[in-house]
């Protein structure tokens, strides 16, 4: 249920807060070749970090659009969770595992969940809400995460959201 802070108090003592959200579509810049990413992820990430006052170094759990294997690598780099060109190594070193520096796709990501087009974003929000509320069972990230980042894209649109508890 998405609602105001006042209304949330009626339903739960442990609400998940959306503290930053930016969405957009790819931008054409005359004279520049399109990048490897599918959309304006880097730009939107910077907007969400500024809006929420939370930086990539503060993210404790993340869901990202990984319909294709390289997508996870590029997205981690574009959102500033590791330097450009270091995404593959970042993942290889275990940083995105449940006990890693920034656990990513704790539910297995798009492919393992069947990539339900249209429902993917809702599934991602649910997983992050369970993580923030410490209700994720065997998938629970250790250390009681309080800050979550969501990245979802498809059919030309990209959304980046910051959630907190």
């Amino acid at each position: 249920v998405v609602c105001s802070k006042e209304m949330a108090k009626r339903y739960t003592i442990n609400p998940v807060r959306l503290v930053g959200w930016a969405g957009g579509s790819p931008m054409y810049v005359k004279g520049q070749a399109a990048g490897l990413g599918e959309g304006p992820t880097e730009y939107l990430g910077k907007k969400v970090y500024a809006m929420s006052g939370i930086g990539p170094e503060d993210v404790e759990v993340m869901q990202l659009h990984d319909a294709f294997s390289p997508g996870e690598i590029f997205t981690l780099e574009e959102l500033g969770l590791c330097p450009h060109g270091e995404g593959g190594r970042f993942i290889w070193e275990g940083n995105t595992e449940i006990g890693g520096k920034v656990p990513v796709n704790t539910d297995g990501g798009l492919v393992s969940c069947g990539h339900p087009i249209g429902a993917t974003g809702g599934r991602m929000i649910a997983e992050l809400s369970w993580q923030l509320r410490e209700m994720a069972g065997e998938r629970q990230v250790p250390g009681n995460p309080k800050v979550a980042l969501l990245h979802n894209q498809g059919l030309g649109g990209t959304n980046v959201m910051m959630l907190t508890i």
Side-chain angles (χ1 to χ4, degrees):
V1 175
V2 177
C3 59
S4 68
K5 185 184 340 182
E6 294 75 28
M7 185 65 77
K9 290 177 184 176
R10 290 184 182 180
Y11 297 103
T12 182
I13 59 170
N14 196 18
V16 173
R17 294 174 178 84
L18 175 63
V19 296
W21 181 4
S25 58
M27 299 171 282
Y28 170 75
V29 178
K30 187 175 181 177
Q32 291 184 6
L36 293 173
E38 292 183 45
T41 296
E42 190 165 353
Y43 170 77
L44 296 173
K46 289 177 182 177
K47 279 185 76 170
V48 167
Y49 295 142
M51 183 184 307
S52 67
I54 297 169
E57 67 281 357
D58 301 314
V59 174
E60 298 173 296
V61 62
M62 178 178 182
Q63 285 281 312
L64 64 77
H65 190 93
D66 66 343
F68 306 99
S69 299
E72 182 174 352
I73 295 169
F74 298 143
T75 302
L76 289 168
E77 294 174 0
E78 291 170 354
L79 290 173
L81 295 158
C82 64
H84 283 279
E86 296 294 323
R89 179 184 314 217
F90 188 79
I91 293 166
W92 183 260
E93 292 174 349
N95 290 303
T96 60
E97 298 296 320
I98 286 182
K101 183 177 179 181
V102 183
V104 173
N105 293 348
T106 50
D107 60 1
L110 295 180
V111 176
S112 73
C113 292
H115 193 350
I117 295 174
T120 292
R123 180 197 53 77
M124 294 169 122
I125 290 171
E127 176 66 17
L128 291 176
S129 294
W130 293 325
Q131 288 290 339
L132 294 173
R133 289 181 170 151
E134 300 178 54
M135 299 171 57
E138 293 178 358
R139 298 183 318 277
Q140 184 62 50
V141 169
N144 309 326
K146 303 292 182 230
V147 177
L149 180 65
L150 182 146
H151 165 270
N152 192 11
Q153 63 189 17
L155 302 175
T158 301
N159 284 282
V160 177
M161 300 176 179
M162 190 70 73
L163 306 166
T164 64
I165 191 120

